[in-house]
Amino acid sequence: MPRGLQLAFIAIGLVIIGALLFYIWRQSKLLNQQRLAQKKTEEFQAQRRDKMVESIRIIALAVEEKQVEYSEACLRLKGLLDYVDPSLLNKAPFEVFQTVHDKIQHMPTHEARKNTDSRTIRKLDKERLAVEQTHATEIREAASALKHHRFDD
């Protein structure tokens, strides 16, 4: 084989090796970026979950101290538990949050409440207070249990 052809094959081989090394380096860099992004996402989710668990405990304490209406606490706790541990909403004593939520979710809140006539609001408030009274003991017991519940990952 002529020497020029050998040098050409060597040069082509070196170019291919260089291109493969560049490709490997680029893929490695992308993989590291993906791992870093995944780690940041997991850390953010863990912090978010921890804050939600803290909110659950604060609301549960507020229920025990009678600093919040039971209906509002149930709505908030149901929403937080949907994210943190939805299976709790089907277990005693926590299912009361789902029960109360289902009974009052049709009621307007925030801006919708402001835009509803006062007679309807009084009727809905009466209905809401009746639901609260019916489930008051269960709500307090569930809130107390939530304060001490271990939310494991």
Side-chain angles (χ1 to χ4, degrees), residues 31-125:
L31 186 60
N32 285 338
Q33 288 174 346
Q34 288 173 345
R35 285 183 186 149
L36 183 62
Q38 178 68 27
K39 184 179 176 186
K40 284 182 180 181
T41 300
E42 288 170 1
E43 287 173 359
F44 173 77
Q45 294 295 343
Q47 289 174 350
R48 183 175 178 209
R49 187 177 190 283
D50 290 345
K51 286 179 183 178
M52 287 183 175
V53 169
E54 182 182 351
S55 293
I56 288 170
R57 295 198 196 293
I58 290 169
I59 295 169
L61 181 62
V63 168
E64 282 187 331
E65 306 266 329
K66 297 180 181 173
Q67 295 175 344
V68 64
E69 291 182 356
Y70 291 166
S71 56
E72 181 178 350
C74 289
L75 291 174
R76 291 178 184 268
L77 288 169
K78 193 261 187 212
L80 290 165
L81 289 172
D82 272 342
Y83 180 81
V84 174
D85 190 354
S87 67
L88 284 181
L89 294 169
N90 299 320
K91 297 178 185 172
F94 311 114
E95 73 267 0
V96 69
F97 302 130
Q98 181 71 51
T99 302
V100 172
H101 175 271
D102 291 346
K103 289 182 179 180
I104 65 172
Q105 71 178 352
H106 68 281
M107 297 180 183
T109 60
H110 304 94
E111 197 63 36
R113 183 177 170 92
K114 291 177 186 175
N115 296 332
T116 304
D117 72 278
S118 59
R119 198 170 78 193
T120 304
I121 292 297
R122 281 193 301 274
K123 179 184 169 197
L124 291 173
D125 283 348

